[in-house]
Structure formats: structure tokens, C-alpha cells
Amino acid sequence: MKVEVIELPYAQDALAPAMSEKTFSFHYEKHHKGYMKKLEAALEAGEADKPLEEVVKAASGGKFNNAAQVYNHNFFWTSMKPGGGGDPSGDLKDAIDRDFGSVDKFREAWKASGAGQFGSGWVWLVNDGGKLAVTSTSNAETPITGSAKPLLTMDVWEHAYYLDHQNARGTYIDVWLEKLINWDFAAANLAG
Ligand code: MN
């Protein structure tokens, strides 16, 4: 992944009504690009040409927060798609059945993780040494500083849902699973 805010693979109103254009545009244009602006100011000579993952792993403090937030949001936009939702298939479904018991059990774990993350953070589906797991991270924290490989993520900062759902994080998560989750992205990450 390059050190940049990704070009979106769909229009900013393409996830509506599951995620409104207003929520999307504030999130992408103000929050995500805001992190990028601060990261750019903190980059050292030549660093902009390195992979973003490398910049995240080498950074600390405020620079880490901005670099990781650029990475996490890039991952988040592609964790959703217009007409998303439904169930996974193929190898991904087999792995979810194996490690969670069923896709419904996965959804329960995802909801519990999102509801249980106190304050701002992220929910992740990761491949941890060949076993899939749901985890959450606080603030800008990201699995790529550890050994587990991320397959999907969902932003649970209030800015991700407050305009559409106010304080109802649980409703946001339900809609996210029903209408937005991009299983194709997870399957590609599992295979890649
Ligand atoms: Mn966000």
C-alpha cells in the first residue's frame, strides 16, 4: 500500500442509504485526508516512497497515530462495497465455519467486539497463523504492528456512524454486516 489516501473504488454516495453520502464525505474528506495531511508534515526525506505499512511499523507517537489511521481507513473503504453484506463463500466460508462454528457465530463475535470496544477504535477479522479471529484495537492501533494479517476492518470511532445513527453503535454494526461488508476483499486477503 502506498503512503496515500486511496482512490475510492466507488462513488461517495454509492453506499447510501446504508451509509449516507454525508457520513461518507465527512469521514473520507475531513477525517481521513486530515490524518494524511498531518502524516505528510511528519514524513522524513524519501519516506513517502516507502510502503505505508513500513512507515506505520517504524513510527511512534503522533506520527504513528496519523500513519496508522491512513492505513486503517484505506483498509476500511475496501472492507465495504455497494451491495455488500450477505454471506461469504468458498475457502473463506470454510475457514469461518472452522474457526467460529458458523457465519452467524462470526457475526455475533463481530458485534460483541464492536460493542465492547470502549471509546474509539477498530474491529478486525484477522488471519493469525492460519486461524481466523475477530479482534479490536483502540484509537489508531492496527494489527500490522503484530503478526496477525488483517482481512477486514470496521471503524467504530463515533465519526463513522454518529451522523447516521447518533449514539447507536449497535445499529451501525448491524447495518454494516447486513449491507456493507465486502466478503470479496476478505477472501482476496485470505488467499493473498
Ligand atoms: Mn474513521
Side-chain angles (χ1 to χ4, degrees):
M1 196 182 282
K2 292 180 186 168
V3 182
E4 64 183 15
V5 168
I6 58 161
E7 292 286 332
L8 295 168
Y10 45 76
Q12 293 189 29
D13 62 356
L15 303 182
M19 182 177 284
S20 70
E21 182 181 11
K22 192 174 181 187
T23 286
F24 199 101
S25 64
F26 269 94
H27 200 171
Y28 179 75
E29 299 292 346
K30 306 293 185 189
H31 292 279
H32 193 185
K33 290 186 178 176
Y35 296 123
M36 186 64 212
K37 208 172 275 181
K38 288 179 182 163
L39 174 60
E40 276 170 347
L43 289 175
E44 288 155 36
E47 219 174 10
D49 300 323
K50 290 184 175 171
L52 177 56
E53 290 88 338
E54 213 175 288
V55 174
V56 170
K57 288 175 189 174
S60 60
K63 185 176 175 183
F64 169 81
N65 288 337
N66 288 302
Q69 284 293 78
V70 171
Y71 176 89
N72 292 347
H73 283 89
N74 281 343
F75 209 84
F76 176 58
W77 307 128
T78 41
S79 291
M80 304 183 287
K81 67 172 188 178
D87 290 339
S89 59
D91 291 345
L92 178 59
K93 183 184 185 304
D94 293 345
I96 285 176
D97 286 344
R98 180 193 67 208
D99 295 332
F100 294 95
S102 68
V103 178
D104 280 339
K105 292 281 186 199
F106 157 81
R107 279 188 275 259
E108 280 174 28
W110 189 265
K111 285 183 203 184
S113 190
Q117 171 56 40
F118 184 77
S120 297
W122 300 84
V123 178
W124 302 86
L125 175 63
V126 298
N127 180 2
D128 193 356
K131 185 174 164 52
L132 303 197
V134 168
T135 63
S136 66
T137 59
S138 292
N139 297 319
E141 293 292 330
T142 179
I144 64 169
T145 55
S147 56
K149 184 186 181 195
L151 306 181
L152 275 178
T153 194
M154 179 179 68
D155 192 338
V156 292
W157 285 56
E158 281 189 346
H159 66 229
Y161 58 85
Y162 214 87
L163 292 175
D164 286 344
H165 304 290
Q166 292 73 55
N167 63 321
R169 186 188 283 185
T171 306
Y172 161 67
I173 296 171
D174 286 343
V175 172
W176 201 90
L177 287 168
E178 282 164 26
K179 310 274 189 191
L180 296 172
I181 191 169
N182 182 0
W183 287 118
D184 299 337
F185 182 58
N189 288 326
L190 181 64

